PDB file of all heavy atoms in Angstrom:
ATOM      1  N   GLY A 245      -2.985  26.116  65.875  1.00 82.00           N
ATOM      2  CA  GLY A 245      -2.524  26.661  67.140  1.00 82.00           C
ATOM      3  C   GLY A 245      -3.124  28.032  67.365  1.00 82.00           C
ATOM      4  O   GLY A 245      -3.788  28.597  66.496  1.00 82.00           O
ATOM      5  N   THR A 246      -2.887  28.597  68.515  1.00 89.00           N
ATOM      6  CA  THR A 246      -3.447  29.923  68.828  1.00 89.00           C
ATOM      7  C   THR A 246      -2.379  30.980  69.027  1.00 89.00           C
ATOM      8  O   THR A 246      -2.665  32.172  68.926  1.00 89.00           O
ATOM      9  CB  THR A 246      -4.305  29.842  70.101  1.00 89.00           C
ATOM     10  OG1 THR A 246      -3.499  29.356  71.188  1.00 89.00           O
ATOM     11  CG2 THR A 246      -5.496  28.912  69.899  1.00 89.00           C
ATOM     12  N   GLU A 247      -1.137  30.555  69.301  1.00 93.00           N
ATOM     13  CA  GLU A 247      -0.082  31.518  69.606  1.00 93.00           C
ATOM     14  C   GLU A 247       0.700  31.882  68.349  1.00 93.00           C
ATOM     15  O   GLU A 247       1.040  31.012  67.547  1.00 93.00           O
ATOM     16  CB  GLU A 247       0.881  30.934  70.644  1.00 93.00           C
ATOM     17  CG  GLU A 247       0.230  30.549  71.959  1.00 93.00           C
ATOM     18  CD  GLU A 247       1.217  29.851  72.886  1.00 93.00           C
ATOM     19  OE1 GLU A 247       2.426  29.873  72.571  1.00 93.00           O
ATOM     20  OE2 GLU A 247       0.772  29.281  73.894  1.00 93.00           O
ATOM     21  N   PRO A 248       1.024  33.163  68.157  1.00 94.00           N
ATOM     22  CA  PRO A 248       1.826  33.553  66.991  1.00 94.00           C
ATOM     23  C   PRO A 248       3.298  33.173  67.181  1.00 94.00           C
ATOM     24  O   PRO A 248       3.786  33.068  68.313  1.00 94.00           O
ATOM     25  CB  PRO A 248       1.660  35.080  66.952  1.00 94.00           C
ATOM     26  CG  PRO A 248       1.425  35.456  68.387  1.00 94.00           C
ATOM     27  CD  PRO A 248       0.627  34.321  68.981  1.00 94.00           C
ATOM     28  N   ILE A 249       3.983  32.945  66.097  1.00 94.00           N
ATOM     29  CA  ILE A 249       5.434  32.746  66.152  1.00 94.00           C
ATOM     30  C   ILE A 249       6.092  34.065  66.518  1.00 94.00           C
ATOM     31  O   ILE A 249       5.782  35.117  65.941  1.00 94.00           O
ATOM     32  CB  ILE A 249       5.963  32.255  64.787  1.00 94.00           C
ATOM     33  CG1 ILE A 249       5.467  30.826  64.505  1.00 94.00           C
ATOM     34  CG2 ILE A 249       7.485  32.306  64.749  1.00 94.00           C
ATOM     35  CD1 ILE A 249       6.114  29.750  65.346  1.00 94.00           C
ATOM     36  N   THR A 250       6.994  34.036  67.486  1.00 95.00           N
ATOM     37  CA  THR A 250       7.707  35.239  67.916  1.00 95.00           C
ATOM     38  C   THR A 250       9.170  35.161  67.512  1.00 95.00           C
ATOM     39  O   THR A 250       9.666  34.108  67.108  1.00 95.00           O
ATOM     40  CB  THR A 250       7.619  35.410  69.444  1.00 95.00           C
ATOM     41  OG1 THR A 250       8.331  34.325  70.065  1.00 95.00           O
ATOM     42  CG2 THR A 250       6.170  35.408  69.912  1.00 95.00           C
ATOM     43  N   ILE A 251       9.852  36.260  67.644  1.00 94.00           N
ATOM     44  CA  ILE A 251      11.267  36.294  67.253  1.00 94.00           C
ATOM     45  C   ILE A 251      12.091  35.349  68.124  1.00 94.00           C
ATOM     46  O   ILE A 251      12.997  34.664  67.645  1.00 94.00           O
ATOM     47  CB  ILE A 251      11.837  37.733  67.316  1.00 94.00           C
ATOM     48  CG1 ILE A 251      13.225  37.805  66.655  1.00 94.00           C
ATOM     49  CG2 ILE A 251      11.893  38.258  68.736  1.00 94.00           C
ATOM     50  CD1 ILE A 251      13.204  37.592  65.171  1.00 94.00           C
ATOM     51  N   THR A 252      11.767  35.269  69.410  1.00 94.00           N
ATOM     52  CA  THR A 252      12.560  34.424  70.310  1.00 94.00           C
ATOM     53  C   THR A 252      12.218  32.940  70.186  1.00 94.00           C
ATOM     54  O   THR A 252      12.908  32.103  70.772  1.00 94.00           O
ATOM     55  CB  THR A 252      12.394  34.866  71.772  1.00 94.00           C
ATOM     56  OG1 THR A 252      11.006  34.896  72.102  1.00 94.00           O
ATOM     57  CG2 THR A 252      12.995  36.253  71.988  1.00 94.00           C
ATOM     58  N   ASP A 253      11.181  32.610  69.408  1.00 94.00           N
ATOM     59  CA  ASP A 253      10.924  31.193  69.134  1.00 94.00           C
ATOM     60  C   ASP A 253      12.086  30.567  68.374  1.00 94.00           C
ATOM     61  O   ASP A 253      12.264  29.343  68.408  1.00 94.00           O
ATOM     62  CB  ASP A 253       9.630  31.025  68.334  1.00 94.00           C
ATOM     63  CG  ASP A 253       8.386  31.172  69.197  1.00 94.00           C
ATOM     64  OD1 ASP A 253       8.496  30.975  70.421  1.00 94.00           O
ATOM     65  OD2 ASP A 253       7.313  31.481  68.652  1.00 94.00           O
ATOM     66  N   MET A 254      12.859  31.395  67.683  1.00 93.00           N
ATOM     67  CA  MET A 254      14.060  30.904  67.004  1.00 93.00           C
ATOM     68  C   MET A 254      14.977  30.166  67.976  1.00 93.00           C
ATOM     69  O   MET A 254      15.632  29.173  67.622  1.00 93.00           O
ATOM     70  CB  MET A 254      14.813  32.077  66.367  1.00 93.00           C
ATOM     71  CG  MET A 254      16.042  31.693  65.563  1.00 93.00           C
ATOM     72  SD  MET A 254      16.997  33.135  65.093  1.00 93.00           S
ATOM     73  CE  MET A 254      17.876  33.466  66.622  1.00 93.00           C
ATOM     74  N   LEU A 255      14.997  30.629  69.234  1.00 94.00           N
ATOM     75  CA  LEU A 255      15.878  30.047  70.238  1.00 94.00           C
ATOM     76  C   LEU A 255      15.374  28.702  70.751  1.00 94.00           C
ATOM     77  O   LEU A 255      16.109  27.973  71.415  1.00 94.00           O
ATOM     78  CB  LEU A 255      16.034  31.009  71.419  1.00 94.00           C
ATOM     79  CG  LEU A 255      16.514  32.427  71.077  1.00 94.00           C
ATOM     80  CD1 LEU A 255      16.464  33.315  72.305  1.00 94.00           C
ATOM     81  CD2 LEU A 255      17.910  32.397  70.483  1.00 94.00           C
ATOM     82  N   LYS A 256      14.119  28.368  70.451  1.00 95.00           N
ATOM     83  CA  LYS A 256      13.540  27.109  70.918  1.00 95.00           C
ATOM     84  C   LYS A 256      13.772  25.954  69.945  1.00 95.00           C
ATOM     85  O   LYS A 256      13.553  24.793  70.304  1.00 95.00           O
ATOM     86  CB  LYS A 256      12.035  27.269  71.129  1.00 95.00           C
ATOM     87  CG  LYS A 256      11.633  28.318  72.148  1.00 95.00           C
ATOM     88  CD  LYS A 256      10.113  28.438  72.207  1.00 95.00           C
ATOM     89  CE  LYS A 256       9.665  29.536  73.143  1.00 95.00           C
ATOM     90  NZ  LYS A 256       8.186  29.686  73.126  1.00 95.00           N
TER      91      LYS A 256
END
Side-chain angles (χ1 to χ4, degrees):
T246 58
E247 301 174 11
I249 291 288
T250 66
I251 191 68
T252 54
D253 283 337
M254 183 189 79
L255 305 173
K256 300 177 184 177

